[in-house]
Amino acid sequence: MFAIGNAVLFGSVTAAVRGMTTTESAETLTMYQMIFLALFFTLALPFAFAWPSPLDAGVLIANGVINAVGQYWWTRALSLAPPSAVGPFYYFMLVWSAALGFFFWGDVPTLALLGGSAIVVGSGLFLLWHETRVCTQIND
């Protein structure tokens, strides 16, 4: 149920961000998102704050920078193309998740997971190819 809820909310945010890119720049939208998240997570500080070690602080800062760059790229992509063209690239999260799971935790993907992932990634790439052809025909 959490995965379905996440999919619905993520799709809603994707559509909303795409709509907002008509009036706001990717930089502005990314800044709004970063400020909102910072304020939201600040609410948890009184309940579970502990000073990080220097190494942990460095990892947290690096994570924040990498996430900010990724958020900007995602927002910029949605300002340049419709969600149906950007969406198939989300499927590469399957590849990264499997690779990182194997690298960090030794999780070996099952054949069913690999087969299902191949179907999902393949359908996403087909949609990308189809949307590219449709956009090319419209522009001709």
Side-chain angles (χ1 to χ4, degrees):
M1 293 307 294
F2 286 117
I4 291 171
N6 178 57
V8 169
L9 292 174
F10 194 74
S12 301
V13 168
T14 299
V17 167
R18 173 66 176 165
M20 288 186 283
T21 59
T22 60
T23 59
E24 302 290 337
S25 69
E27 293 84 1
T28 301
L29 289 172
T30 302
M31 189 56 63
Y32 285 153
Q33 292 167 34
M34 294 296 113
I35 290 170
F36 174 78
L37 288 173
L39 293 173
F40 179 77
F41 287 116
T42 299
L43 297 174
L45 287 178
F47 304 104
F49 180 75
W51 283 104
S53 69
L55 176 62
D56 290 342
V59 170
L60 286 169
I61 290 168
N63 186 315
V65 170
I66 290 167
N67 277 300
V69 170
Q71 189 69 39
Y72 171 76
W73 286 348
W74 176 72
T75 305
R76 183 74 176 128
L78 287 170
S79 72
L80 296 172
S84 59
V86 176
F89 290 99
Y90 298 144
Y91 301 135
F92 286 110
M93 286 188 286
L94 291 168
V95 176
W96 282 110
S97 297
L100 292 174
F102 178 77
F103 180 74
F104 286 109
W105 295 284
D107 294 340
V108 178
T110 64
L111 287 177
L113 176 69
L114 292 173
S117 297
I119 291 169
V120 170
V121 170
S123 66
L125 292 174
F126 173 78
L127 285 172
L128 177 63
W129 172 78
H130 181 265
E131 289 297 320
T132 303
R133 289 192 54 193
V134 169
C135 289
T136 302
Q137 290 173 355
I138 291 172
N139 290 334
D140 287 344

